[in-house]
Amino acid sequence: MTRPLRVLHLEDSPRDAELVRQRLDADGVVCDIHLTNGKASFESALEQESFDLIISDYNLPGYDGISALKQAQVSQPDVPVILVSGTVSEEEAVKCLHVGATDYLLKGRLDRLAPAVQRAIQEAETRLTRKRAEVELAQSERRKAAILDSVLDCIVTIGADGTVVEFNAAAERTFGYTKAEAIGRPLAELIIPPRFRDAHRAGLAHYLTTGHGPLLGKVLEITAVRSDGSEIPVELTITAIRSENAPVFTGVLRDITARKQADETRARLAAIVESSDDAIFSMALDDTILTWNAGAERLYGYTAGEMIGQNRAMLVESGKEVEAAAMTERAGRGETGEPIETRRVRKDGSVVDVSLVISPMTDSTGRVTSVSTIARDITSRKRAEASVRRERDRAQRYLDAAEVILLDLDLDARILLVNRYACAVLGWSYDELVGRDWIETCVPSRLRQERTARFQTILGGDLSISEQPIVTKSGEERIIEWRNRLLRDEGGKVVGTSSSGIDVTERNQAAEALRKAEERMRFALESSKVGIWEADYVTGVVLWSEILESQYGLQPGTFGRTFEAFAERIHPDDRESVLKSVAEAMTSGADFTLLHRAILPDGRVRWLSGAGRVHLGAQGEPVRGVGISMDVTERHTLEAQYQQAQKMEAIGQLAGGVAHDFNNLLTVILGNCELLQDPLDPDRQRQEDLAEIQKAGGSAAGLTRQLLAFSRKEIIEPTLLDLNTVVAEMRPMLRRLIREDVEIVLNLRPELAPVKADRGQLEQIVMNLSVNARDAMPNGGTLTIEIGNVVLDEQYARTHLTVTPGPYVVLTMADTGTGMTPEVQMRLFEPFFTTKEIGTGTGLGLASVHGIVTQSKGSIDVSSTLGVGTAFKVYFPRVNVAEIVAEAPPPVLVPRAVTATVLVVEDAEGLRLLTTKLLQRQGYTVLVAENAEEAVRVFDANPSIDLVLTDVVMPGGSGPSLTKQLVERRPALKVLYMSGYTDEAIVHNGVLDPGLAFLHKPFTADALGRKIREVLDR
């Protein structure tokens, strides 16, 4: 060896280690020893270095030679291991060799160490050489397998018995067997068709017998079979490989299916080219002719022998050289040109019209190597086209004179013929249109699919007239009425269509405009609920629209269609005037208007307003009449309500004014009575007289309150009320008021919404209506009082002037009394109107009820039938509970000594003097003024004034305008208003403005004193 052996020595005894080293040196073994003395150092050395030989002691502290051997086999398996021991049994020695030790020595026989080392090294080198050879063989086999699997051809190897021993990946793909399925099976059963298998076996046997095979080394074309039974053509080469034992045979097979198909295609194409009527020939890029078919011989007159090898220039007409060269140049660049029509020269010198196409021909790399030329004789077609053109031009002159669209289309809807009028309508020239697709060019895009289908139905024989839109070049659409017929050839076969069209755009637009106008008129009349009638005075037939029939309460189509049927439905009181107006119009031909009542089948009466026109004939006789009618019942009702409201308003103004002055007088009368009354007065008669005066004054005050309620001038302080509670608490009083033979029934609703009203006024409504009900039931009966929630809609509001649509609380009071006539119902709420005997009623009860309800923004209805009874429905606006704001509790009044100064402002002298006396009696200092101007002077002169008591309505200035000036001068000033009538100065809709102190006239001394103290103590 050229280098020292690398030896790893495991020995815990230094002495024994040294003996081993000395022995190796003595025997001439050149080595480099790496000494380790335990497991850790031994295994570390194995990991860090490579060795040629390992010598290990057999017995070691905590370790042993067997374990060291096994660790060496893991870390460095190719290194030989010699175990050395002081003593060992034969059994242990065999065990060491069996585990894998190269040799086993006794320490007492180290003379055997050098031979053992040399033998171990030689065996190791032999094993390494053999291992390397095995690796190289395996690598060779893998390379061979990779080569076999990477080639595109099929490689199949069989043994002398005909079974497969090699089957590459290409064979798997081609024949459909996996390698595992093919190996070991007879080749004849795999890829050889059944009809050839006997010949295959005979040939194999012949070779094995003679050593010769006629097919070896030759390229053969045979038929093979795939795993699915299909047969394919293959190209086969067989090679025999002789060996010491028996020969093997390797076949290389190639699937030539594509090549066979290509050959067949080329053969078919060649036959097609040769049999084609067109002249087909090929040229090199320098215009040398390479091939020449029979069609070319017929067209040009040259045989193939005469043209092959010649230049194409001999066929080109003089002047066409540049054109021909350009075509060849384009083909040489790989471009396939469009067919062109040109002229070529024949062998006899004549010129022929041809349609020519030149295309590039490429090799397998895509490089252009030559060009092919296809030429078709179009001489006959040219002559036919010229003849057709002459005929067409002549026909065109006739067609252009027609004022209709004339259009011929072929089976593909391409334009064959179109006249000048059509061009003018479409905006295209003749040349632009002919040859184009009619549907793609002149039909709106949204309709093309539909028109394509329609064109097919025309070709199928549907020649019905139709209107279809077309689109012009500018994008405008026109409506054309088409009439169609079929074009046929000489054999009767359909070859196209011929159509004539009339432009009906303007006609249709006019018709559409008329339709829309009629539709708008009809919509306007129907939405306005206007009925229409038409009369034919010649036949006597009268036609009504459905709306007009509904105005008379008839179902659609049930009117009698005669003038008499119309007259029957007019209210008898209006019939004469209506017939007279119609008769006058039939004589004069003048327009007329009508306002009359109609009686509906169910007995209801409606008010109708109409107008009509009569058309007279040449002799002045009525021929035709037309007119309209509107149901004006609601308007008529509202007008009547409005007139009644105006009358009531006028009376109310008068009543309010009277009540104001009367209140002033009553205050003076009642106040002076109070001053004159003295409980200690011995004159009893005088005191009784004063009491009677005071009683009459109280009655008069009640009458003025009714007048103010009717005129809606009464000042009220509304609060949130539950009608259930108000009516329920009144029941005992109503029971005392109404006779025992009248039963009172209360139908209350617990879920009732609140209303905002004056409680006293609500009680007055219930009392008045209850008394009226009692008087209407002289023989007894039932008074039903019902309360509920209700919603009044737009329909109700249209017939009640004061009502706003929305939620209400309804108070219904119904009796079973004598009832009322319609005439009484019409005047029911007029003041001083009464049906009671003289002296038993004032006629203000229901008038005041109407005023209170109207002031509360409500409504009252009455329905009554003689002998059945009467029902009043009183509607009050509902209050939204969410909007209710709790009112602050009234301040606690603390009485104090009367030391205040009061300024009394009153234009009525008697009332002014009375108020002064009443206040002075109660200890107040009183200053007086007749009007606002005087009051300002007195106020400025007396800074001690604590309170101003002023009338609201005075000549020369109102109470509120006066107090505004005084409060600006002295913000702490107290103000108290007094009045029995107001002009909205301190109230709105009769409701007192919040925060104002007010004293109703007439008042008593006690009421005056309490109110003064209340205001001063605030």
Side-chain angles (χ1 to χ4, degrees):
M1 300 179 63
T2 59
R3 63 176 180 80
L5 288 174
R6 293 279 297 159
V7 178
L8 175 61
H9 189 191
L10 173 59
E11 177 61 66
D12 62 319
S13 170
R15 176 177 172 279
D16 291 346
E18 179 60 24
L19 289 174
V20 169
R21 187 187 66 76
Q22 291 177 357
R23 188 69 205 178
L24 290 174
D25 286 343
D27 291 339
V29 178
V30 180
C31 57
D32 182 6
I33 299 175
H34 184 100
L35 181 64
T36 59
N37 59 4
K39 176 181 178 182
S41 59
F42 177 73
E43 291 180 355
S44 175
L46 287 174
E47 291 177 1
Q48 296 177 6
E49 298 183 46
S50 297
F51 298 96
D52 300 314
L53 177 67
I54 297 173
I55 300 174
S56 174
D57 191 2
Y58 185 76
N59 293 309
L60 297 162
Y63 204 42
D64 61 73
I66 297 296
S67 298
L69 172 62
K70 291 180 179 180
Q71 183 61 45
Q73 289 173 338
V74 172
S75 300
Q76 296 188 25
D78 295 327
V79 177
V81 177
I82 297 175
L83 295 179
V84 180
S85 178
T87 59
V88 66
S89 65
E90 183 178 346
E91 182 181 350
E92 287 176 334
V94 172
K95 179 181 178 182
C96 290
L97 295 176
H98 180 73
V99 170
T102 303
D103 208 343
Y104 192 96
L105 301 176
L106 293 173
K107 291 184 179 180
R109 297 292 306 272
L110 290 180
D111 56 328
R112 293 185 60 246
L113 179 58
V117 168
Q118 291 173 351
R119 185 173 62 256
I121 293 299
Q122 289 174 354
E123 290 177 356
E125 288 179 350
T126 300
R127 285 196 303 273
L128 183 60
T129 300
R130 184 169 63 250
K131 187 174 182 179
R132 286 172 181 169
E134 291 173 351
V135 170
E136 289 177 357
L137 179 61
Q139 290 176 346
S140 175
E141 289 295 326
R142 285 195 295 272
R143 284 195 296 270
K144 171 189 170 185
I147 292 171
L148 288 176
D149 287 339
S150 64
V151 297
L152 298 178
D153 290 336
C154 305
I155 298 178
V156 179
T157 301
I158 63 174
D161 60 353
T163 60
V164 177
V165 296
E166 183 62 58
F167 202 80
N168 74 338
E172 289 181 318
R173 292 191 299 271
T174 300
F175 296 107
Y177 297 101
T178 65
K179 186 173 183 178
E181 292 172 335
I183 299 296
R185 291 182 60 184
L187 179 67
E189 295 178 3
L190 288 180
I191 67 173
I192 297 175
R195 62 185 180 277
F196 300 133
R197 288 174 184 172
D198 290 342
H200 161 72
R201 294 189 183 97
L204 180 59
H206 177 76
Y207 179 83
L208 294 175
T209 302
T210 65
H212 299 285
L215 304 182
L216 295 177
K218 296 180 179 180
V219 178
L220 308 172
E221 287 187 8
I222 65 169
T223 300
V225 65
R226 293 167 46 84
S227 63
D228 59 5
S230 60
E231 295 186 355
I232 58 173
V234 296
E235 188 177 78
L236 170 66
T237 302
I238 302 174
T239 302
I241 303 174
R242 295 178 176 83
S243 64
E244 295 179 357
N245 298 323
V248 295
F249 304 91
T250 297
V252 178
L253 301 95
R254 178 175 298 170
D255 185 352
I256 58 174
T257 302
R259 190 180 75 188
K260 284 287 187 179
Q261 291 172 345
D263 291 343
E264 292 173 1
T265 300
R266 280 193 295 271
R268 285 195 299 270
L269 289 176
I272 291 171
V273 169
E274 192 60 28
S275 62
S276 173
D277 290 334
D278 292 334
I280 303 174
F281 60 91
S282 61
M283 304 182 299
L285 297 180
D286 61 358
D287 285 351
T288 299
I289 294 175
L290 303 176
T291 62
W292 187 265
N293 77 335
E297 291 181 343
R298 291 190 294 271
L299 177 61
Y300 294 108
Y302 294 101
T303 64
E306 291 174 318
M307 289 305 297
I308 292 176
Q310 301 296 321
N311 193 282
R312 188 264 313 267
M314 58 192 299
L315 303 176
V316 179
E317 184 184 19
S318 176
K320 300 286 186 179
E321 295 84 1
V322 175
E323 174 193 80
M327 293 177 68
T328 304
E329 182 180 349
R330 284 196 301 272
R333 293 197 300 266
E335 300 175 14
T336 299
E338 293 292 328
I340 66 166
E341 293 184 359
T342 185
R343 292 157 66 87
R344 286 293 182 260
V345 179
R346 299 175 54 132
K347 181 177 180 180
D348 60 7
S350 61
V351 177
V352 61
D353 290 305
V354 296
S355 173
L356 204 63
V357 177
I358 296 183
S359 304
M361 299 177 69
T362 60
D363 59 14
S364 60
T365 65
R367 182 174 61 88
V368 178
T369 58
S370 58
V371 296
S372 76
T373 301
I374 301 175
R376 176 171 296 174
D377 186 352
I378 59 173
T379 304
S380 298
R381 195 196 78 190
K382 285 286 187 179
R383 292 197 191 104
E385 287 176 353
S387 177
V388 170
R389 193 161 44 249
R390 288 192 299 272
E391 290 297 324
R392 186 179 60 199
D393 291 344
R394 184 172 66 178
Q396 191 71 44
R397 289 192 292 272
Y398 292 107
L399 295 177
D400 288 342
E403 290 296 317
V404 295
I405 295 175
L406 297 176
L407 174 70
D408 286 359
L409 304 178
D410 65 13
L411 295 178
D412 295 324
R414 296 195 174 275
I415 301 170
L416 300 175
L417 179 145
V418 65
N419 68 338
R420 183 182 302 167
Y421 179 77
C423 293
V425 172
L426 293 167
W428 299 85
S429 69
Y430 177 87
D431 292 335
E432 288 176 320
L433 286 173
V434 171
R436 298 189 71 160
D437 187 305
W438 165 257
I439 294 175
E440 291 295 325
T441 305
C442 300
V443 173
S445 57
R446 68 181 185 280
L447 300 174
R448 286 173 187 164
Q449 185 175 358
E450 174 190 334
R451 290 296 297 278
T452 299
R454 169 60 182 159
F455 182 69
Q456 294 303 317
T457 63
I458 293 173
L459 292 175
D462 182 1
L463 304 180
S464 57
I465 299 172
S466 64
E467 289 186 5
Q468 299 290 344
I470 62 172
V471 62
T472 66
K473 187 176 183 179
S474 64
E476 177 190 8
E477 289 193 11
R478 309 288 296 176
I479 305 299
I480 308 299
E481 181 182 271
W482 292 104
R483 287 172 169 78
N484 308 294
R485 67 182 183 87
L486 297 177
L487 294 176
R488 299 179 184 273
D489 60 13
E490 295 177 354
K493 181 181 178 181
V494 175
V495 295
T497 64
S498 180
S499 305
S500 64
I502 301 173
D503 188 342
V504 294
T505 305
E506 282 72 22
R507 184 190 74 184
N508 285 10
Q509 288 174 346
E512 179 66 11
L514 178 61
R515 185 191 64 78
K516 289 182 178 178
E518 291 177 348
E519 184 178 316
R520 286 194 295 269
M521 178 63 72
R522 187 182 307 109
F523 175 76
L525 293 174
E526 290 177 355
S527 61
S528 302
K529 303 298 183 183
V530 176
I532 305 172
W533 61 265
E534 183 176 355
D536 187 334
Y537 293 115
V538 177
T539 63
V541 175
V542 180
L543 301 177
W544 280 8
S545 68
E546 291 185 3
I547 291 179
L548 184 55
E549 287 181 309
S550 69
Q551 291 176 358
Y552 282 85
L554 300 176
Q555 293 297 319
T558 60
F559 173 60
R561 296 166 61 91
T562 65
F563 190 76
E564 289 74 16
F566 160 61
E568 289 174 0
R569 304 201 174 276
I570 302 174
H571 194 284
D573 295 344
D574 300 337
R575 189 174 297 156
E576 183 179 351
S577 62
V578 170
L579 297 180
K580 181 180 178 181
S581 297
V582 174
E584 290 176 352
M586 291 173 64
T587 302
S588 63
D591 295 348
F592 62 92
T593 59
L594 299 173
L595 178 62
H596 65 92
R597 288 165 291 177
I599 301 178
L600 276 60
D602 60 4
R604 289 181 298 144
V605 176
R606 306 291 292 178
W607 281 91
L608 303 179
S609 174
R613 172 174 295 173
V614 176
H615 298 276
L616 303 180
Q619 306 301 320
E621 75 283 6
V623 177
R624 178 173 170 268
V626 294
I628 61 173
S629 173
M630 295 181 63
D631 187 335
V632 294
T633 304
E634 292 181 2
R635 187 183 74 189
H636 193 271
T637 303
L638 289 175
E639 288 174 352
Q641 288 184 6
Y642 179 67
Q643 292 170 0
Q644 178 70 8
Q646 285 184 315
K647 181 173 71 173
M648 298 287 279
E649 184 67 25
I651 297 174
Q653 290 289 346
L654 176 61
V658 171
H660 172 264
D661 294 339
F662 200 40
N663 266 335
N664 284 343
L665 296 175
L666 287 174
T667 303
V668 175
I669 293 170
L670 294 174
N672 281 293
C673 282
E674 194 174 358
L675 289 174
L676 290 173
Q677 285 179 325
D678 186 353
L680 301 178
D681 189 348
D683 190 346
R684 299 287 299 175
Q685 183 62 43
R686 186 175 68 172
Q687 292 299 318
E688 291 177 359
D689 293 341
L690 287 172
E692 286 298 322
I693 294 173
Q694 196 167 27
K695 180 180 178 182
S699 298
L703 185 61
T704 59
R705 280 197 299 273
Q706 285 186 309
L707 286 172
L708 288 172
F710 158 70
S711 62
R712 303 190 299 279
K713 301 297 183 182
E714 184 179 14
I715 299 173
I716 60 174
E717 298 184 48
T719 57
L720 288 174
L721 297 173
D722 183 346
L723 275 180
N724 284 329
T725 303
V726 174
V727 173
E729 291 178 354
M730 289 184 67
R731 182 168 188 165
M733 181 177 62
L734 293 177
R735 186 69 272 169
R736 291 192 299 271
L737 182 68
I738 297 176
R739 299 185 312 274
E740 292 183 357
D741 60 354
V742 175
E743 180 185 3
I744 301 176
V745 178
L746 297 185
N747 291 330
L748 307 181
R749 297 289 186 272
E751 71 280 5
L752 195 69
V755 299
K756 193 169 187 179
D758 185 280
R759 183 182 181 113
Q761 288 190 336
L762 281 180
E763 292 175 345
Q764 184 179 348
I765 291 173
V766 176
M767 290 288 291
N768 284 347
L769 295 179
S770 298
V771 169
N772 281 350
R774 178 200 66 189
D775 295 343
M777 296 183 288
N779 299 320
T782 301
L783 170 62
T784 302
I785 303 176
E786 184 173 356
I787 305 173
N789 294 323
V790 69
V791 175
L792 299 182
D793 57 14
E794 295 282 353
Q795 178 65 27
Y796 184 88
R798 281 198 292 269
T799 57
H800 294 76
L801 284 174
T802 60
V803 173
T804 300
Y808 287 78
V809 175
V810 59
L811 167 66
T812 303
M813 300 189 65
D815 63 57
T816 57
T818 57
M820 293 179 283
T821 64
E823 290 75 19
V824 171
Q825 293 181 50
M826 290 291 292
R827 302 186 60 193
L828 197 60
F829 299 112
E830 292 183 7
F832 311 114
F833 174 77
T834 180
T835 59
K836 299 178 182 179
E837 296 179 1
I838 297 176
T840 59
T842 63
L844 285 175
L846 289 177
S848 62
V849 168
H850 187 277
I852 291 170
V853 172
T854 303
Q855 190 175 21
S856 300
K857 298 182 180 179
S859 177
I860 183 169
D861 274 348
V862 61
S863 60
S864 182
T865 303
L866 284 174
V868 177
T870 301
F872 286 89
K873 288 185 179 290
V874 184
Y875 299 95
F876 297 98
R878 255 191 262 172
V879 177
N880 187 352
V881 178
E883 298 176 357
I884 298 176
V885 179
E887 298 182 356
V892 178
L893 302 180
V894 180
R896 64 180 184 179
V898 178
T899 58
T901 299
V902 178
L903 171 59
V904 178
V905 186
E906 171 61 61
D907 62 300
E909 182 179 2
L911 183 56
R912 188 168 63 249
L913 293 175
L914 172 66
T915 306
T916 300
K917 289 177 184 179
L918 293 176
L919 290 175
Q920 286 175 341
R921 267 193 171 193
Q922 297 183 31
Y924 292 101
T925 301
V926 182
L927 301 173
V928 297
E930 183 179 355
N931 52 47
E933 183 178 353
E934 183 181 357
V936 173
R937 290 198 301 270
V938 174
F939 183 81
D940 290 339
N942 294 275
S944 62
I945 294 174
D946 298 295
L947 181 143
V948 175
L949 173 61
T950 177
D951 195 5
V952 176
V953 181
M954 298 184 296
S958 67
S961 63
L962 167 65
T963 58
K964 181 179 180 183
Q965 298 179 54
L966 301 184
V967 170
E968 287 177 351
R969 287 175 166 79
R970 200 178 305 164
L973 180 67
K974 307 293 186 180
V975 176
L976 174 61
Y977 295 103
M978 59 179 175
S979 182
Y981 171 88
T982 179
D983 60 352
E984 304 293 323
I986 62 172
V987 297
H988 292 87
N989 297 319
V991 180
L992 185 67
D993 288 345
L996 295 182
F998 182 78
L999 180 64
H1000 290 270
K1001 295 179 184 178
F1003 50 79
T1004 64
D1006 184 56
L1008 174 64
R1010 285 199 310 272
K1011 200 67 178 180
I1012 291 288
R1013 282 198 307 275
E1014 177 187 328
V1015 175
L1016 286 173
D1017 291 341
R1018 285 182 178 177

